[in-house]
Amino acid sequence: MMFALGGGFSPRGGGPTSLEANAAAGLPHAEVPGDLREKVVKVLEHEPEHAYPQVHWRRDKWDRRPFTLLRFLWPHRFRLAAAIALVLIETIALQMGPVLTQIGIDDGVRADRRDVLVTAALVYVATVVLSGVLSNARVSYTGRLGEHLNDSLRIRVFGHMQRQSIAYYNEQKAGVLITRMTSDIEALAVLFQEGIVNLLVQVFTLLVITAALFFYDPLLAVITLAVAVPPTLITSLWFRDVSARSYLVVRERIAALLSNLSESLAGIRVIAAHNRRSTNMAMHSDLVGEHRDAAVAAAKANSIYAPATEFVGICTQAALLGVGGAMVVNGRISIGEMTAFLLFLTSFFAPIQTLVQLYNSYQQGGAAIVKLRELLGTEPSVAQAPDAYRLPPIEGEIELRNVTFGYADERPVLHNVSLRIAPGETVAFVGETGAGKSTVAQLLMRFYDPQEGSLLIDGHDLRSVEIASLRSQLGVVPQEPFLFAGVVRDNLAFAQRDASDLTLWAALQAVGIDDLVERLGGLDAVVHERGASLSAGERQLLALARALVARPRVLILDEATSNLDLVSESRVEVALDVVLESRTAVIIAHRLATARRADRIAVVHDGEIVELGSHDELVALDGRYAEMYATWVAHGGAR
């Protein structure tokens, strides 16, 4: 089992790589153009240093109290108090205009006091400037505070998503989770920045105006409120109910829209291959149309409410002008007080309209709080024990002890499975699709916990150790490799951020893909989202190299060679002889070429291990494995 790390091989089996084919066809992602590379370098020269953020995240500890707006805002109560103080001062400054107008008319114009009139005018200008400065300060302050809250909430939600078990993501649609992170958090941010603060502004405005009306003339104030409040209240309650129903529909439609968008982007290759673009476009257009109809229904309600409120305001002003005019003639109030009264009344309806409009923000934020409370209250199905201890460095002994497991409790996938794997031993699991092979790998990584029995590594029950300390000593290469957008170095050093370039190149050489990486541009070569510019085999080889960089004591290959061509597979098998030496390996095998190289082979059938032994022993047994091997040989599998 000798293998020279310096002898890299071409995984393309003699043909062009996808990158070379793209370049020959003039397609994108063939290589970063030289002029663009130079521009990037110039930009990076002026890029400031960004410290790596310090994230304090615990898998087993988080705030389990129900998520509420008050509980979320409470740590920032002093900042909120400062914002409220700014709102109060701004509101008083804004409402000084009618008072100064009254003083200017009664004590300046009618009393023929030019100095009073000029003073009132200057003070009026000063209050306008002051209110503008205060408004700017308030908007800037609350905006920064809102973004800070938004930032902390996004990190909290993302952290809790990272805490969830694999089963959670199997049950949830990606589009729905994206909605939680985007639309719902944005709705909550709008509720704070434009809802709560604006609510305080309008409430303070109403209180100041109402107090001013009663200060000038209680009888006229009562008449004004009697005429204005009942119709305004009736229309506002109607609008609240209609807008609430419309908004709920809008939220449902936008979630469906984002879910469809996410699924369409993820499956674009399947859509294109099956010529479904026009059909999917029609489906998405229907969802867009449903969202538009819901939004239009809400807009229609608003188009009725706003003019109705304005009409009530005009009628109230007309009634006030008639009653107030008679009171001026009778000498009950002065012309200046009447003018101030009318000016205050003009400002009286704007807060009411705004408050009702804010109900939409409240509805959006309230629904977002409910959704986020549900997400943040979700307990991981695979939880770390409170008294979990750190798994010490392992030798790699694995034991399945009477393991029974099913993704649904009523339908077990594995039935009372027991198996011991010695340190450094390679065991391959083979069997038909659905027999339970990959489930063994899922349990070893502790993506799931068995319903009965236990899994042990070096005698440590997996449920008793810290999950991070377990997975840091395991390496896994899944059937469907996933590469992250970035560069080759980032993907290789995904589990070992401090890995040296020498270590990375050694891993690339071990799997025979170093020559491809050199052609791509080295460790800094760009890797597009999901490795879209690479072939399936190339992505799998990079995923295998990534697992090797982590230097795991136990390596799990979940049908890791199923997407490789025959030439690449044979070279990887040779590399695995070196890679797996002195390591425990669990291989979920689709191809018997990989399985027969293992020390032992476990044949899985209907959730049970029905045969166990070396390749030669199982062939001689003339059982299920021998039948599988004969079929494989008949189809030209043996080489």
Side-chain angles (χ1 to χ4, degrees):
M1 298 191 301
M2 298 299 294
F3 179 73
L5 291 179
F9 66 90
S10 173
R12 52 196 170 111
T17 66
S18 60
L19 200 70
E20 294 169 337
N22 287 346
L27 297 177
H29 309 320
E31 179 59 282
V32 178
D35 56 341
L36 180 58
R37 188 188 296 272
E38 293 176 0
K39 293 178 181 179
V40 170
V41 172
K42 291 181 179 179
V43 170
L44 292 177
E45 289 177 353
H46 302 284
E47 182 71 14
E49 292 292 333
H50 297 282
Y52 197 83
Q54 298 296 322
V55 179
H56 304 284
W57 181 83
R58 290 287 300 272
R59 181 185 302 274
D60 56 334
K61 291 185 179 181
W62 70 92
D63 189 354
R64 285 180 165 82
R65 296 174 300 175
F67 178 78
T68 63
L69 184 61
L70 178 61
R71 189 167 287 138
F72 177 59
L73 296 178
W74 183 250
H76 308 276
R77 56 191 178 278
F78 297 113
R79 293 183 180 182
L80 289 172
I84 293 173
L86 285 173
V87 169
L88 181 59
I89 299 172
E90 177 191 355
T91 302
I92 294 174
L94 281 172
Q95 300 308 319
M96 288 297 293
V99 176
L100 293 169
T101 300
Q102 179 263 318
I103 295 173
I105 293 175
D106 289 342
D107 298 337
V109 176
R110 294 185 62 193
D112 197 19
R113 294 279 306 275
R114 184 181 294 273
D115 58 328
V116 174
L117 181 60
V118 172
T119 301
L122 291 176
V123 174
Y124 199 155
V125 172
T127 58
V128 171
V129 173
L130 178 62
S131 64
V133 172
L134 290 173
S135 178
N136 177 268
R138 187 257 303 170
V139 172
S140 176
Y141 181 80
T142 56
R144 289 196 302 270
L145 179 57
E147 289 303 323
H148 178 74
L149 294 172
N150 199 13
D151 180 70
S152 63
L153 183 58
R154 286 188 189 280
I155 293 175
R156 179 178 175 183
V157 171
F158 184 80
H160 197 66
M161 286 184 177
Q162 297 297 303
R163 194 174 285 115
Q164 295 303 312
S165 308
I166 297 299
Y168 178 79
Y169 295 97
N170 292 338
E171 297 167 359
Q172 297 289 334
K173 290 184 177 180
V176 173
L177 296 179
I178 291 174
T179 303
R180 299 289 90 82
M181 279 293 293
T182 55
S183 180
D184 287 341
I185 292 181
E186 288 296 335
L188 196 55
V190 170
L191 175 62
F192 171 74
Q193 295 183 10
E194 301 180 11
I196 296 177
V197 176
N198 207 356
L199 172 67
L200 294 174
V201 172
Q202 306 311 323
V203 169
F204 286 151
T205 300
L206 274 179
L207 292 175
V208 171
I209 292 175
T210 303
L213 293 179
F214 278 93
F215 172 78
Y216 280 111
D217 191 279
L219 177 60
L220 198 57
V222 170
I223 295 174
T224 302
L225 296 178
V227 174
V229 171
T232 302
L233 183 61
I234 292 172
T235 55
S236 298
L237 291 175
W238 169 83
F239 177 73
R240 184 195 66 176
D241 294 338
V242 173
S243 64
R245 290 194 299 269
S246 300
Y247 171 72
L248 288 176
V249 176
V250 170
R251 297 299 297 173
E252 293 174 357
R253 301 286 165 77
I254 197 171
L257 189 63
L258 288 175
S259 180
N260 179 263
L261 174 62
S262 174
E263 189 174 41
S264 297
L265 292 177
I268 188 63
R269 288 173 176 78
V270 177
I271 293 171
H274 291 82
N275 198 27
R276 285 268 303 187
R277 293 180 186 267
S278 58
T279 304
N280 281 57
M281 186 66 190
M283 292 172 58
H284 195 74
S285 296
D286 289 341
L287 293 174
V288 172
E290 291 174 357
H291 177 263
R292 177 204 60 213
D293 293 341
V296 168
K300 285 181 179 179
N302 185 59
S303 68
I304 296 174
Y305 171 73
T309 308
E310 292 178 5
F311 176 76
V312 172
I314 294 172
C315 291
T316 304
Q317 287 178 331
L320 177 61
L321 187 60
V323 176
M327 296 174 69
V328 171
V329 172
N330 294 332
R332 179 181 176 89
I333 60 174
S334 67
I335 185 64
E337 292 172 335
M338 179 63 187
T339 303
F341 216 100
L342 287 172
L343 290 174
F344 274 124
L345 187 62
T346 302
S347 303
F348 181 79
F349 290 96
I352 296 177
Q353 287 182 325
T354 304
L355 285 173
V356 177
Q357 296 290 345
L358 287 175
Y359 188 76
N360 279 340
S361 296
Y362 171 76
Q363 286 291 325
Q364 296 177 18
I369 289 172
V370 171
K371 296 297 184 181
L372 291 172
R373 181 187 303 139
E374 178 182 340
L375 188 151
L376 294 172
T378 303
E379 293 281 345
S381 59
V382 177
Q384 183 169 285
D387 57 347
Y389 57 89
R390 184 173 183 81
L391 180 66
I394 60 175
E395 294 297 325
E397 180 187 46
I398 299 173
E399 183 178 359
L400 285 78
R401 187 178 293 172
N402 302 320
V403 170
T404 296
F405 171 79
Y407 298 100
D409 292 340
E410 65 277 5
R411 288 184 289 119
V413 177
L414 297 178
H415 307 270
N416 198 32
V417 174
S418 294
L419 176 67
R420 181 186 175 276
I421 302 175
E425 184 182 18
T426 298
V427 175
F429 290 81
V430 301
E432 63 269 21
T433 300
K437 307 185 302 297
S438 293
T439 301
V440 175
Q442 303 269 10
L443 292 174
L444 286 175
M445 290 296 296
R446 211 188 164 201
F447 289 161
Y448 299 89
D449 282 335
Q451 277 90 29
E452 298 178 15
S454 57
L455 280 87
L456 301 94
I457 290 185
D458 286 6
H460 300 277
D461 192 317
L462 300 190
R463 286 171 291 200
S464 301
V465 302
E466 295 178 357
I467 296 177
S469 67
L470 166 67
R471 293 176 182 166
S472 65
Q473 301 189 63
L474 304 180
V476 61
V477 182
Q479 180 179 6
E480 295 295 332
F482 190 98
L483 299 180
F484 295 86
V487 297
V488 172
R489 176 184 282 102
D490 294 339
N491 277 278
L492 289 178
F494 194 75
Q496 293 288 340
R497 287 173 45 204
D498 57 348
S500 65
D501 288 0
L502 184 63
T503 300
L504 302 183
W505 280 113
L508 292 171
Q509 290 174 336
V511 300
I513 200 174
D514 53 311
D515 58 338
L516 170 68
V517 173
E518 287 178 353
R519 289 196 301 274
L520 289 174
L523 295 176
D524 292 320
V526 175
V527 175
H528 298 280
E529 185 178 12
R530 296 177 180 269
S533 58
L534 301 172
S535 70
E538 292 165 352
R539 291 196 298 270
Q540 192 63 279
L541 289 168
L542 280 175
L544 178 60
R546 176 172 60 194
L548 300 183
V549 170
R551 299 185 181 277
R553 292 298 308 151
V554 176
L555 188 62
I556 301 171
L557 306 179
D558 188 0
E559 300 192 15
T561 62
S562 61
N563 291 327
L564 301 180
D565 58 77
L566 294 178
V567 175
S568 296
E569 182 188 7
S570 63
R571 297 300 183 99
V572 170
E573 288 174 0
V574 174
L576 285 176
D577 287 339
V578 174
V579 171
L580 298 181
E581 187 174 359
S582 75
R583 286 190 175 95
T584 305
V586 174
I587 301 176
I588 311 302
H590 174 71
R591 296 179 177 178
L592 295 187
T594 304
R596 66 178 181 174
R597 303 173 72 91
D599 298 318
R600 287 191 297 167
I601 300 172
V603 181
V604 183
H605 178 68
D606 287 341
E608 298 179 349
I609 296 179
V610 295
E611 296 177 7
L612 181 65
S614 67
H615 168 75
D616 293 337
E617 291 172 347
L618 294 182
V619 170
L621 187 63
D622 198 23
R624 184 172 293 275
Y625 179 82
E627 181 181 349
M628 294 169 58
Y629 181 69
T631 302
W632 180 65
V633 171
H635 286 81
R639 298 192 298 274

